[in-house]
Amino acid sequence: MNTDRLILAAASLENPLLRKVSRRLDAAGYQPGHALPAGLIALHFQVTPQAVQQALAALARAGKVEFRPNGEYGPGYYMPAPHRPNSLARHGARARSAA
């Protein structure tokens, strides 16, 4: 079991809402970069927005979502972009042309 799954497993024992929110994100089909509407998720589960924020924070620690302080719609949780380990652009490097 990887570390992310261990974090989620431990956190879900403390926060039953975490599992529900995680499933909701999977079922809703949010695309990479999409802002996550904590308020609407809270209404859906009839809980406080703070409870959803705590669940999203645990999901961020596990790498399922990410917190962006300067996101497109302001600070909040967003679906992460797919991981591309060999991307040169991600590291600010320029591709070298074969001359």
Side-chain angles (χ1 to χ4, degrees):
M1 186 178 262
N2 68 22
T3 306
D4 294 346
R5 290 183 190 262
L6 287 174
I7 292 170
L8 280 175
S12 66
L13 294 174
E14 298 170 16
N15 184 354
L17 179 63
L18 178 66
R19 191 174 315 134
K20 291 179 184 178
V21 171
S22 180
R23 282 192 219 138
R24 174 75 177 162
L25 296 180
D26 292 338
Y30 291 113
Q31 299 298 313
H34 193 278
L36 301 175
L40 292 177
I41 295 170
L43 284 174
H44 177 77
F45 290 117
Q46 298 181 346
V47 297
T48 65
Q50 293 80 9
V52 172
Q53 291 289 340
Q54 289 175 351
L56 290 173
L59 291 171
R61 287 189 297 275
K64 184 169 175 98
V65 301
E66 62 187 22
F67 180 79
R68 296 184 190 166
N70 299 314
E72 184 178 345
Y73 300 102
Y77 292 94
Y78 292 77
M79 291 303 291
H83 179 65
R84 289 183 237 151
N86 295 327
S87 173
L88 292 175
R90 214 177 104 214
H91 299 289
R94 292 192 178 140
R96 294 182 185 141
S97 62

